[in-house]
Amino acid sequence: MPAPKKTLEWLDSHLDARVEELIALSRIPSVSAPGFPAAEVRRSAEAVASLLSASGFEQVEILELEGAHPYVVGEWLGAGPGAPTLLLYAHHDVQPPGREAYWRTPAFEPTRGTDGRLYGRGVADDKAGVVVFAGALRAWLESGVNPPVNLKLIVEGEEEIGSEHLAEFLRVHRERLAADVLVLSDTANLERGLPSLTTSLRGLLNIEVRVKALDHPVHSGLWGGPTPDAASALARILGRLFDAEGEVAIPDFERDVPKLSEKTRANLAALPLDVADFRRDVGVVASASLVAETTAEIFERLWFRPSLAIVAIEGMPLAAAGNQLIAEAAARVGIRMAPGQDPVAMRDRVLAFLEADPPWGVCVEVEAESPVGGWRIEPEGPAYEAAERALRAGYGRDPVYIGCGGSIPFVAPFAEVLGGVPAILLGLEDPLCNAHGENESLDLDDFAKALRAAAHLFSELG
Ligand SMILES: [Zn+2]
């Protein structure tokens, strides 16, 4: 069932107030990263709590766990014990502002641009998520109708630093947070105005490889020739990672990659992107070729197959270099695992490959950060059908199912604690939003559509 007409009218006529709420929240520099004032994250939690209370949420509380930034929770259980319950998630912490000089307007002074976007740190990721959930409930209540679902909302304070305490938080508050459907608002739309449901995430694995060839750098003229050096050895080790076609050469790198169904393949081919747009958006130089030929293959490689890149490399900076043999060199290899791949087996496979057969017998040390597995759901059943209807009604366009090539640490803890409950991942980022970068922005048209879609979601899932 769509949301009542008067609820939608209330939303439309009070849209400016929602934008003002978003601006007020985004003025608070709630950066959760170490080295930034934790008091601001607390101030942000307090502001979120007041917004939730003002919007009709009850039992609003700031909840704490030792060593974690504060969470805010609230609920509205007016639909009664027989009605379904949604657990809503967003986060109120933000990334550091980055390089100040690159912001066209200050990061924590949210500013409306002439392009219909709101600029400021956190406006898209993820304070918009908080305001959308709060605004949708408020619209129902202020227009004099109760939504036919119960709502529980968690607003996390440490998503941007890896959601380290979330699993514990969910375990501690398991009973209070019990729900029939999860709605997580922190992902992206494939393009502006195109509502997108995310159904898979890739896993993440970072490995450092350190090479030591000498106990100190030496003159390349006096010693070079008979003597191996660390940088050349590292280059050979890294060079072995790819074959001549640009494919990863580690044996079994694609083990356990799920075969895509015909339906998924057709879905990928129908997504609105062409190879030229992808090249332009990513900014690849004209002479380089992509390791994919079609749109479907681009998405398949981004979302459903593992990838590997050297994300850091160090030996000697050019500016400091003399004619010396480098004693030690290091690199970080970053791997995105396909959903379905075993992260521990992948780690062991890559470690063994990097360590094997060191060039000239130099010392090679490898160390892995703890890997995060991927995630994937089949979007089938009444909850996804309801979400499709809500998004179609809110945005006026058919929604698409997409994957995400990145990794979101908060999804696995929810899946673990709440078992097989359907998870609906949506959000307000778009290809122009520059989340995590300078000049983060939110399309205000999409913000209005997302509010309507959320209001519809409450009745469609009821
Ligand atoms: Zn986020």
Side-chain angles (χ1 to χ4, degrees), residues 19-195:
V19 178
E20 289 307 321
E21 288 169 356
L22 179 58
I23 289 175
L25 284 187
S26 307
R27 281 209 178 98
I28 305 171
S30 52
V31 180
S32 51
F36 290 84
E40 295 291 359
V41 187
R42 176 167 307 276
R43 192 155 75 86
S44 165
E46 285 159 7
V48 168
S50 336
L51 173 66
L52 297 187
S53 300
S55 305
F57 279 93
E58 291 160 2
Q59 321 287 350
V60 174
E61 275 183 83
I62 293 175
L63 292 179
E64 316 242 4
L65 275 183
E66 174 91 29
H69 291 295
Y71 289 77
V72 188
V73 299
E75 58 198 36
W76 182 86
L77 304 178
T85 299
L86 314 188
L87 180 58
L88 313 173
Y89 168 93
H91 65 85
H92 69 95
D93 65 318
V94 299
Q95 284 279 324
R99 299 159 297 180
E100 215 173 295
Y102 286 73
W103 281 85
R104 284 189 291 266
T105 54
F108 295 107
E109 289 173 27
T111 308
R112 290 182 206 228
T114 50
D115 53 1
R117 300 182 74 93
L118 179 68
Y119 287 82
R121 170 58 82 233
V123 294
D125 179 15
D126 178 33
K127 287 172 175 171
V130 181
V131 177
V132 163
F133 287 140
L137 176 61
R138 189 171 194 155
W140 276 87
L141 301 179
E142 298 263 358
S143 60
V145 216
N146 280 351
V149 283
N150 297 309
L151 303 171
K152 296 175 177 178
L153 171 60
I154 301 181
V155 185
E156 192 194 356
E158 53 167 12
E159 195 278 339
E160 299 295 2
I161 48 172
S163 299
E164 222 191 297
H165 300 85
L166 181 63
E168 186 190 345
F169 181 85
L170 294 173
R171 269 195 299 276
V172 171
H173 299 286
R174 184 182 214 135
E175 267 156 48
R176 178 166 181 187
L177 299 173
D180 304 295
V181 179
L182 271 169
V183 184
L184 305 146
S185 178
D186 192 29
T187 50
N189 289 331
L190 192 62
E191 58 180 41
R192 198 174 75 89
L194 179 62

Side-chain angles (χ1 to χ4, degrees), residues 117 189-192 281 429-434:
R117 300 182 74 93
N189 289 331
L190 192 62
E191 58 180 41
R192 198 174 75 89
D281 291 350
E429 291 171 27
D430 69 19
L432 297 177
C433 76
N434 220 24

